[in-house]
């Protein structure tokens, strides 16, 4: 039997698609057990039904999929009990039901094994025989083992959206992808294809390499010009972090490697198009093989840039794109530049076959405030143009040509969304103050591009987190002190008069520097943040000196230290900051303290060990800032980027909330300013919980500022202690969520906490 087992597992794993995998499994189980039928049912939790997905042996009368409601039949019983049921004569069992569409009245013996993946029943495997007999314990173990194997297959298919063919009713075509930007929208699909595709280039040789190099250089120059035009067009339309992509593209074009490699390949005798294809495809492959989700997504940027250069090499220029009013942009790979080419006001949502929440398209969609679903691997877009789509960016669902009832339901939601967005914008100029007068400082988390006048536009009190590693990651080498001075100067200048918290380099973990390779078994527990920079005074001192120089005459710099675990790390970092300070003062020939502004220094609380050492470092630093993203991952021992444990990563976990509460209390005792710069501060529920704990300074990305202000303005601080008492007594993140949602709903803020928000 062990051999049968191995053979089936192998056959299922090698099946080219999901349906065939299921068909192979039922056929081979039936043969191995020498029984009369084997059937797999897949659970549709939305419709509360088990749907027959494959059978060998049952005779079916119906054309439409056979469904059994949750709660009915022996199948449901096995699912509910979460254990196999083995009946010599199932037909006499009270739970047994006859399915009218199946001719199975002759079956007596029945073995039903639930298919369970991470505690969720995904289906049931059923083996039946005409003759009454109990299946042996060996046979039972055999089916249970295969059900466990099937669990992974179904979970994978579900994640890839392949279950819709079994689940959906015939009139509703649903596709599941990654929820990449929140919101719902309904409209006509507008499919955009790239002007040129590298995959379609047939390799060709040349004996005129100089001519090909000239063609390549001129295509690059035209691409540059086109990028400038596109970024100019996008300016003032999207958030600053979104425009960074154009700088990334320029940096890639500047980078010696891309151009040099293409030219070198041309000189080896290949035509420009072929050389470009070879170099870009190799780069794409390198990116796609990386572990880090964010960096992996950059493969799409490289491909987009390559195809843009190719379109110029092929002398194809974009025909004028006429979009229908209020359309949904659909593409294989929605790219930032594609978006820049279209009239923005007409795009109400985006749908992409590739991509995830980390794609630039997702970042742009969020900053434009339109919903997006990406990574719809199963969606064939070739026939989609002109069809009606509903995009649910909360749940990652896309419905194609939905029936009227569904349309109406979503239209209502979309209208509510729009009204909500318009409403929160109206309150932009007002202070973030609760109904009973408690004031909160709202600050911005920023990345790269800082040209936009956020300070007046968004009504924020400066920058709560400037992640300096982003410009470091986009280069081919460490930026020089001079380059860093220019960069930091821009940020400090833009927020003149308001504090700017600049975090020292936080690389390592999931953010390696391409030119400083590190290979570690557990990078998140490894050489990251301050651990790396303290080992590299050369990098750290240069960065601090650059920050100090940039702050001359502006005096709004604050320095934040990431990943601090021990008091001696703070001592050492502060010592180096002072050293840099004196060096810069000396070089500038200005007297210390009088002319050179001494920045405040802060420590991030993101490693749990810090919670218990605040008193040890308080006299060395001026403020603390909580990084809830890492604090959650380290408190719960859950990798923040691992999708397998993504549902365990939850800042609403009562333990994390207790930690946040502790931090607030200790900082009050120590009389130290405290802020939060992790994602939790920008979530409606997170913000009110932090408020309840006494946090009065929240830093978040631009999209959330107006929403959180609105929420704060509709909450009474006096109601929060009771909410806090309840959530701190909760047993699970789910209980916490329920209470928080109720509190928001009671305050008339239910619209902010729709599914997944
Ligand atoms: C955090 O950990 O919460 C944080 C703000 O830093 P990052 O997400 O950059 O690690
Ligand atoms: Mg962090």
């Amino acid at each position: 039997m062990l051999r049968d087992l191995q053979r089936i597992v192998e056959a299922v794993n090698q099946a080219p698609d999901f349906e065939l995998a299921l068909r192979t499994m039922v056929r081979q189980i039936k043969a191995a057990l020498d029984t009369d039928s084997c059937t797999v049912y897949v659970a549709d939790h939305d419709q509360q039904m088990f749907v027959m997905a494959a059978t060998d042996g049952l005779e079916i009368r119906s054309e439409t999929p056979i469904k059994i409601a949750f709660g009915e039949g022996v199948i449901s019983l096995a699912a509910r009990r979460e254990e196999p049921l083995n009946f010599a004569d199932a037909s006499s069992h009270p739970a047994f039901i006859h399915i009218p569409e199946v001719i199975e009245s002759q079956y007596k013996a029945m073995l039903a094994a639930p298919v369970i993946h991470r505690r969720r029943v995904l289906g049931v495997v059923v083996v039946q025989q005409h003759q009454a007999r109990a299946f042996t314990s060996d046979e039972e173990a055999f089916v249970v083992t295969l059900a466990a194997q099937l669990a992974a297959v179904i979970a994978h298919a579900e994640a890839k959206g392949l279950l819709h063919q079994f689940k959906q009713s015939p009139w509703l075509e649903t596709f599941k992808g990654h929820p990449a930007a929140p919101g719902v929208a309904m409209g006509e699909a507008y499919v955009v294809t790239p002007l040129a595709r590298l995959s379609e280039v047939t390799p060709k040789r040349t004996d005129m390499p100089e001519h090909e190099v000239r063609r390549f250089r001129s295509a690059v120059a035209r691409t540059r010009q086109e990028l400038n035009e596109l970024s100019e067009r996008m300016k003032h339309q999207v958030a600053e972090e979104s425009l960074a992509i154009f700088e990334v593209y320029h940096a890639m074009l500047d980078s010696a490697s891309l151009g040099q490699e293409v030219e070198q390949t041309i000189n080896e005798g290949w035509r420009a198009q072929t050389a470009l294809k070879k170099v870009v495809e190799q780069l794409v492959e390198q990116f796609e093989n990386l572990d880090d989700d964010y960096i992996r997504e950059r493969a799409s940027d490289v491909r987009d840039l390559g195809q843009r250069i190719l379109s110029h090499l092929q002398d194809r220029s974009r025909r004028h794109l006429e979009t229908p009013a209020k359309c949904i942009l659909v593409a294989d790979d929605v790219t930032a530049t594609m978006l820049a080419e279209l009239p923005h006001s007409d795009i109400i949502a985006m749908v992409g076959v590739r991509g995830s929440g980390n794609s630039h398209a997702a970042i742009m969609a969020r900053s434009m405030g339109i919903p997006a679903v990406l990574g719809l691997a199963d969606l064939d877009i070739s026939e989609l143009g002109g069809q009606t789509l509903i995009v649910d960016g909360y749940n990652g669902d896309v419905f194609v040509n939905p029936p009227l009832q569904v349309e109406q339901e979503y239209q209502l939601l979309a209208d509510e969304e729009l009204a909500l967005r318009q409403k929160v914008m109206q309150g932009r100029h007002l202070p973030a103050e609760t109904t009973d007068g408690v004031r909160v400082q709202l600050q911005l988390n920023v990345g790269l591009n800082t040209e936009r006048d956020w300070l007046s536009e968004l009504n924020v009190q400066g920058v709560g987190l400037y992640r300096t590693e982003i410009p470091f990651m986009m280069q081919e080498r460490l930026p020089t002190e001079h380059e860093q001075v220019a960069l930091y100067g821009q940020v400090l200048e833009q927020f003149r008069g308001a504090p700017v918290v600049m975090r020292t380099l936080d690389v390592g973990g999931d953010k390696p520097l391409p030119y400083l390779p590190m290979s570690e078994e557990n990078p998140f527990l490894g050489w990251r943040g301050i651990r790396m920079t303290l080992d590299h005074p050369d990098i750290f001192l240069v960065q601090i000196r650059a920050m100090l120089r940039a702050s001359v005459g502006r005096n709004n710099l604050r320095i934040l230290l990431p990943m601090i675990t021990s008091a001696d790390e703070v001592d050492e970092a502060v010592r180096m900051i002072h050293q840099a300070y004196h060096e810069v003062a000396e070089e500038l020939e200005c007297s210390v303290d009088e002319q050179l502004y001494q920045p405040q220094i802060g420590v991030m609380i993101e490693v749990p060990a810090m919670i218990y050492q605040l008193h040890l470092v308080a006299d060395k630093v001026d403020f603390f800032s909580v990084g809830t993203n890492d604090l959650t991952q380290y408190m719960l021992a859950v990798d923040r980027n691992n999708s397998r444990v993504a549902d365990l990563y939850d800042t609403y976990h009562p333990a994390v909330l207790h930690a946040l509460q502790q931090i607030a209390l200790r900082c009050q005792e120590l009389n130290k300013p405290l802020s939060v710069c992790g994602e939790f501060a920008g979530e409606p529920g997170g913000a009110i919980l932090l408020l309840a704990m006494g946090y009065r300074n929240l830093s978040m990305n631009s999209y959330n500022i107006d929403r959180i202000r609105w929420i704060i303005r509709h909450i009474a601080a006096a109601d929060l202690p009771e909410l806090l008492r309840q959530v701190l007594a909760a047993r699970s993140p789910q209980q916490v969520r329920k209470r928080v949602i109720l509190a928001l709903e009671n305050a008339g803020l239910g619209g902010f906490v729709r599914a997944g928000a």
Side-chain angles (χ1 to χ4, degrees):
M1 217 161 222
L2 182 62
R3 258 215 312 234
D4 284 331
L5 203 60
Q6 282 168 341
R7 193 170 36 76
I8 299 177
V9 168
E10 227 162 80
V12 167
N13 284 342
Q14 280 170 4
D17 64 47
F18 178 59
E19 270 187 272
L20 200 61
L22 291 186
R23 284 213 301 273
T24 308
M25 185 167 264
V26 289
R27 199 181 59 245
Q28 300 214 11
I29 295 180
K30 177 173 164 258
L33 295 188
D34 193 18
T35 176
D36 299 322
S37 86
C38 176
T39 309
V40 171
Y41 294 86
V42 171
D44 179 347
H45 288 272
D46 292 340
Q47 295 191 39
Q48 299 276 295
M49 296 273 190
F50 288 105
V51 186
M52 189 185 291
T55 185
D56 185 1
L58 291 192
E59 269 185 72
I60 314 287
R61 284 196 199 103
S62 160
E63 292 285 301
T64 53
I66 309 290
K67 296 184 178 187
I68 299 172
F70 281 6
E72 284 186 1
V74 173
I75 296 167
S76 298
L77 192 62
R80 196 168 62 245
R81 290 209 191 148
E82 298 183 340
E83 60 182 4
L85 296 179
N86 184 353
F87 297 126
D89 183 2
S91 61
S92 62
H93 191 280
F96 186 83
I97 51 161
H98 281 286
I99 308 170
E101 300 93 333
V102 175
I103 310 166
E104 62 167 353
S105 50
Q106 304 307 317
Y107 291 119
K108 287 209 158 51
M110 180 172 187
L111 170 61
V115 177
I116 301 176
H117 183 74
R118 290 200 210 139
R119 303 189 212 160
R120 218 170 128 240
V121 176
L122 297 186
V124 182
V125 182
V126 179
V127 179
Q128 289 170 286
Q129 195 155 340
H130 291 127
Q131 172 200 350
R133 66 132 174 153
F135 288 92
T136 66
S137 53
D138 268 1
E139 288 170 326
E140 194 177 309
F142 178 81
V143 174
V144 169
T145 310
L146 285 170
Q149 175 72 23
L150 188 59
V153 176
I154 298 182
H156 181 70
E158 188 176 40
K160 294 198 77 179
L162 301 178
L163 293 192
H164 65 89
Q165 75 231 54
F166 301 112
K167 289 181 167 190
Q168 80 208 354
S169 35
W171 42 267
L172 185 56
E173 215 180 335
T174 317
F175 295 87
K176 191 125 198 117
H178 297 293
V184 290
M186 188 169 63
E188 194 178 309
Y190 178 68
V191 179
V192 179
T193 46
L195 257 186
R197 288 182 203 271
L198 286 162
S199 57
E200 287 167 7
V201 171
T202 326
K204 284 200 183 121
R205 294 215 155 249
T206 180
D207 46 14
M208 295 194 297
E210 297 83 9
H211 170 70
E212 290 297 306
V213 167
R214 269 200 305 280
R215 284 183 59 229
F216 174 67
R217 287 186 185 166
S218 124
V220 168
R222 274 182 282 156
T223 307
R224 259 184 217 289
Q225 193 187 341
E226 182 186 48
L227 289 174
N228 286 339
E229 285 163 15
L230 290 176
S231 88
E232 201 49 42
R233 201 178 302 168
M234 293 290 274
K235 227 180 248 175
H236 312 300
Q237 296 199 46
V238 295
E240 61 89 25
E241 55 265 41
S242 310
L243 281 172
I245 183 62
F246 293 100
E247 303 208 6
V248 175
Y249 279 19
H250 273 295
M252 285 198 266
L253 285 175
D254 286 337
S255 84
S257 64
L258 184 76
Q260 253 174 26
E261 273 188 47
V262 175
E263 291 190 14
Q264 196 180 324
T265 316
I266 294 175
N267 285 325
E268 285 162 12
W270 294 102
R271 286 193 67 191
Q273 282 99 315
T274 310
L276 181 70
K277 173 190 167 85
K278 281 175 183 277
V279 171
V280 170
E281 284 183 347
Q282 198 181 357
L283 261 173
V284 165
E285 198 186 318
Q286 276 168 16
F287 275 104
E288 280 176 343
N289 286 334
L290 288 172
D291 281 344
D292 180 288
D293 285 348
Y294 180 82
I295 311 268
R296 207 169 36 234
E297 279 301 331
R298 305 288 70 80
S300 122
D301 300 338
V302 178
R303 191 184 298 108
D304 181 38
L305 183 63
Q307 299 197 138
R308 266 179 195 273
I309 304 176
L310 181 66
S311 70
H312 289 293
L313 274 173
Q314 295 175 339
D315 274 332
R316 293 189 196 172
S317 58
R318 178 71 86 189
R319 67 259 170 226
H320 182 62
L321 289 174
E322 283 271 340
T323 53
K326 307 285 165 230
C327 65
I328 293 173
L329 169 63
V330 178
D332 205 27
D333 203 352
V334 181
T335 63
T337 51
M338 185 181 279
L339 214 55
E341 285 172 332
L342 300 167
H344 262 198
S345 49
D346 285 340
I347 301 173
I348 54 167
M350 313 172 189
V351 167
V353 174
R354 294 196 210 156
S356 71
N358 285 317
S359 310
H360 265 290
I363 298 172
M364 286 226 174
R366 289 198 288 266
S367 75
M368 288 161 66
I370 61 172
V373 176
L374 302 177
L376 289 142
D378 202 30
L379 185 68
D380 176 3
I381 62 169
S382 57
E383 303 286 313
L384 220 53
Q387 312 226 35
T388 302
L389 302 185
I390 289 177
V391 179
D392 182 340
Y394 290 109
N395 297 315
D397 290 325
V398 172
F399 304 97
V400 181
N401 294 328
L404 195 63
Q405 310 91 294
V406 180
E407 244 182 56
Q408 283 168 346
E409 197 180 310
Y410 269 91
Q411 190 56 55
L412 215 64
L413 283 174
D415 292 347
E416 277 173 19
E417 284 266 337
L418 187 67
L420 195 68
R421 222 175 300 149
Q422 286 167 346
K423 204 163 65 174
V424 299
M425 275 201 22
Q426 286 162 12
R428 179 171 277 188
H429 59 288
L430 299 167
E433 186 176 289
T434 61
T435 55
D436 45 0
V438 173
R439 278 264 174 131
V440 179
Q441 305 267 315
L442 296 184
Q443 293 188 307
L444 200 58
N445 287 356
V446 290
L448 198 83
N449 188 304
T450 48
E451 280 174 21
R452 191 158 166 184
D453 187 6
W454 288 117
L455 203 53
S456 55
E457 207 176 292
L458 268 185
N459 185 11
V460 286
Q461 284 78 53
V463 172
L465 176 66
Y466 171 66
R467 291 178 162 105
T468 58
E469 57 275 10
I470 301 180
F472 274 74
M473 287 166 69
M474 281 170 34
Q475 303 233 3
E476 284 213 304
R477 51 162 177 76
L478 287 165
T480 63
E481 182 170 330
H482 185 69
E483 286 167 347
Q484 291 186 55
V485 174
L487 198 68
Y488 305 152
Q490 245 180 37
V491 186
L492 295 172
E493 181 59 28
Q494 205 224 334
F495 291 88
R496 208 179 243 278
V500 174
V501 177
M502 290 198 171
R503 184 170 70 182
T504 62
L505 194 59
D506 185 18
V507 291
D510 60 338
K511 293 181 282 194
L513 289 179
Y515 42 87
L516 207 82
M518 328 173 180
S519 165
E520 295 176 301
E521 285 266 312
N522 282 312
F524 273 118
L525 302 182
W527 202 46
R528 66 168 292 210
I530 200 77
R531 301 172 185 180
M532 185 274 210
T533 48
L534 286 183
D535 284 352
H536 266 292
D538 46 339
I539 298 177
F540 191 70
L541 283 169
V542 167
Q543 183 174 40
I544 300 291
R545 286 160 50 94
M547 288 181 182
L548 293 169
R549 279 170 180 275
S551 80
V552 173
R554 299 184 173 115
N555 302 354
N556 54 345
L557 166 71
R558 292 183 185 175
I559 296 176
L560 181 62
L561 305 170
M563 281 294 292
I564 294 282
T565 314
S566 313
D568 55 1
E569 290 169 340
V570 177
D571 297 343
E572 185 57 8
V574 170
R575 187 193 65 71
M576 284 208 257
I577 293 173
H578 286 155
Q579 178 187 325
Y581 179 76
H582 286 280
E583 283 169 12
V584 172
E586 206 171 289
E587 282 165 27
L588 298 176
E589 293 179 352
C590 53
S591 66
V592 172
D593 292 339
E594 278 171 28
Q595 284 159 298
L596 184 61
Y597 166 82
Q598 190 143 14
Q600 289 192 4
I601 301 174
V603 157
M604 282 201 79
I605 309 175
E606 50 185 347
V607 177
M610 240 4 250
I611 304 171
Y612 306 98
Q613 301 178 88
L614 297 176
H615 61 288
L616 296 180
V617 299
D619 58 341
K620 284 271 167 65
V621 299
D622 304 288
F623 66 96
F624 291 108
S625 184
V626 186
T628 50
N629 309 341
D630 277 314
L631 188 66
T632 305
Q633 99 162 329
Y634 294 126
M635 291 249 356
L636 303 180
V638 176
D639 178 346
R640 63 194 256 190
N641 290 331
N642 181 343
S643 55
R644 204 179 282 206
V645 285
D647 42 358
L648 296 179
Y649 177 93
D650 198 337
T651 309
Y652 285 83
H653 192 294
V656 180
L657 300 180
H658 275 279
L660 290 169
Q661 159 84 338
Q662 280 288 314
I663 295 167
L665 292 175
R666 279 168 199 242
C667 285
Q668 269 162 25
E669 285 160 20
L670 294 165
N671 203 17
K672 279 284 153 190
L674 174 66
S675 59
V676 179
C677 61
E679 294 292 309
F680 200 50
E683 280 178 31
I688 64 164
L689 288 180
L690 291 168
L691 211 61
M693 294 173 191
Y695 288 85
R696 296 291 178 264
N697 188 329
L698 307 178
S699 191
M700 62 204 70
N701 65 36
S702 55
Y703 174 72
N704 289 322
I705 296 271
D706 288 338
R707 288 154 47 94
I708 297 298
R709 183 195 327 278
W710 183 270
I711 285 164
I712 292 171
R713 290 187 58 80
H714 287 80
I715 284 277
D719 294 340
L720 295 177
E722 175 54 18
L723 171 67
L724 184 62
R725 195 192 56 73
Q726 290 178 355
V727 299
L728 290 178
R731 291 175 59 85
S732 66
Q734 291 73 23
Q735 274 187 9
V736 173
R737 259 206 184 83
K738 252 193 204 160
R739 301 232 149 82
V740 172
I741 289 175
L742 193 67
L744 286 166
E745 280 170 352
N746 287 343
L749 300 166
F752 290 93
V753 285
R754 273 213 49 241

